[in-house]
Amino acid sequence: MGPVASVVGGYLAMHTLGTGIRRYTPPTIMDFTRSGGALATSAAAFLESLGWQTAEVEQVLDEYREVSERLVDRYAEIELFYPRTHGVEAETSAVLYGLSRLLKPQSVVETGVADGRSSWITLAALERNGRGLLHSFDINRTAGRLVGEHPQWRLEILDPKEPEASLGQALKRVGRIDLFFHDSDHLYLPQLFEYRQVWPRMTQGGVFASDDVNCSRAFLDFCREYDQHPSFLFDSRKITGAVRLPGVSQQRCGQQGQLVG
C-alpha cells in the first residue's frame, strides 16, 4: 500500500496546494508520455531515437560488450566506497559509451561521480576515439576510485559549502560542451540549476542528458521551458532523459509517446 499511498498523496497535494508543490512530487508515467518524445527500454532504441542509424548503434554496442567485461574485472580490483546502486544502470551504461563514441566529443561534462562507473565507461570511449576530455565534478574527495587516474580525465572536487557557485565557475573554465550528463543531487532546484548553467554552453549537435529524471520534475519542466522534446530510457530502476541539440541531420526513430525497444 506504500507506493499507492504515495501516488495518491502526491496527487492530492498537487490539487490542494497548487503547482508550486510540483517541485516536491516525482513525475508520473503520464508526465513522460505527454512530453512528446520517444520512450525506450533499451540502449539501442534510445540511441536511435536521438538520431543515429541502426548499423552504427549496433557497432558501438558490440564494442561495449568487451568494455563491460573489462569493467567487471576493474570492480574486482578495487575496494569501493559507495553502494553499487549509486552507479548508472546497465542500459544507461551502454548509452554513455555509445554517446561518447558516436558523438566523438571534444568536451564531456558529468556532475556526480561516486565510485566512477560512468567516468570509467566514458573514458573507455574517449580513449578509443583518440580525442576528448572528460570533466567530472563531485563534492566528495572519495569520488572516482574506479578510474584512479587517466590522461583524458579532469576530476574537480567542488566546495561542498557552495557547490552551485563553484560549479558555475568551473563550467566557465570548461567552455563549450559536446556531451553533458547529470548524475549528482536529484532534488528539483539543484537539478534545475545545473541544467540552466549547462544549456547555454552546449554545442550544435551535442547531447544534453540526465540520469534519475524520475526523482523530480526538473528535467520535464526544463524541457518544457526550452521547448524540447526529450527521449527517455526506462532502465531497471531509474529513468534517463536526453535531448540532442539541432545542428546535425537527425532522423527521429520511434513514434512519439510510444514505448520502444
Side-chain angles (χ1 to χ4, degrees):
M1 292 298 293
V4 174
S6 177
V7 170
V8 173
Y11 175 84
L12 292 175
M14 285 284 288
H15 283 264
T16 303
L17 300 177
T19 56
I21 196 66
R22 67 184 292 110
R23 72 178 59 172
Y24 303 110
T25 58
T28 66
I29 294 297
M30 189 170 293
D31 290 318
F32 292 109
T33 60
R34 286 175 173 171
S35 68
L39 311 181
T41 58
S42 70
F46 188 67
L47 291 169
E48 288 178 27
S49 78
L50 292 172
W52 281 284
Q53 299 299 310
T54 301
E56 54 189 345
V57 168
E58 289 178 348
Q59 180 179 339
V60 297
L61 293 184
D62 282 344
E63 293 176 9
Y64 178 69
R65 292 187 180 92
E66 183 270 332
V67 170
S68 64
E69 291 172 0
R70 288 196 285 119
L71 180 57
V72 170
D73 294 338
R74 181 60 177 162
Y75 267 107
E77 298 170 355
I78 299 296
E79 182 178 355
L80 301 177
F81 186 84
Y82 298 87
R84 285 288 188 99
T85 53
H86 280 52
V88 289
E89 296 185 292
E91 295 299 313
T92 305
S93 297
V95 162
L96 279 177
Y97 182 83
L99 287 174
S100 300
R101 285 286 287 130
L102 293 164
L103 276 173
K104 292 188 168 47
Q106 186 59 44
S107 177
V108 182
V109 167
E110 67 167 350
T111 58
V113 177
D115 282 315
R117 180 182 176 89
S118 57
S119 308
W120 195 96
I121 291 167
T122 302
L123 288 166
L126 296 183
E127 187 174 322
R128 185 151 188 159
N129 292 344
R131 56 172 288 182
L133 292 176
L134 169 61
H135 302 270
S136 302
F137 300 100
D138 206 294
I139 60 172
N140 297 308
R141 298 193 175 278
T142 54
R145 292 189 179 191
L146 273 172
V147 178
E149 295 182 357
H150 194 283
Q152 291 171 272
W153 196 35
R154 305 291 183 267
L155 172 63
E156 183 170 342
I157 305 302
L158 303 174
D159 183 350
K161 296 180 181 179
E162 297 183 337
E164 294 181 348
S166 53
L167 176 62
Q169 291 300 315
L171 290 174
K172 290 179 183 178
R173 295 192 294 272
V174 171
R176 305 297 289 171
I177 301 169
D178 302 309
L179 173 59
F180 169 68
F181 185 67
H182 161 88
D183 197 17
S184 56
D185 192 336
H186 303 315
L187 295 177
Y188 184 93
L189 291 178
Q191 281 184 312
L192 206 56
F193 171 83
E194 281 193 14
Y195 300 155
R196 288 173 172 167
Q197 286 287 308
V198 170
W199 184 258
R201 296 178 166 86
M202 294 297 300
T203 59
Q204 290 186 344
V207 172
F208 179 93
S210 177
D211 200 11
D212 296 274
V213 298
N214 53 296
C215 291
S216 88
R217 297 172 184 267
F219 188 79
L220 286 165
D221 286 355
F222 173 85
C223 290
R224 187 178 302 111
E225 178 183 349
Y226 285 82
D227 195 26
Q228 299 297 313
H229 301 288
S231 295
F232 294 102
L233 171 65
F234 286 67
D235 217 327
S236 60
R237 292 180 297 106
K238 306 176 183 181
I239 302 174
T240 296
V243 171
R244 191 173 180 190
L245 280 74
V248 292
S249 176
Q250 298 180 37
Q251 294 183 356
R252 301 293 293 180
C253 302
Q255 297 178 1
Q256 291 187 344
Q258 178 181 345
L259 196 64
V260 295

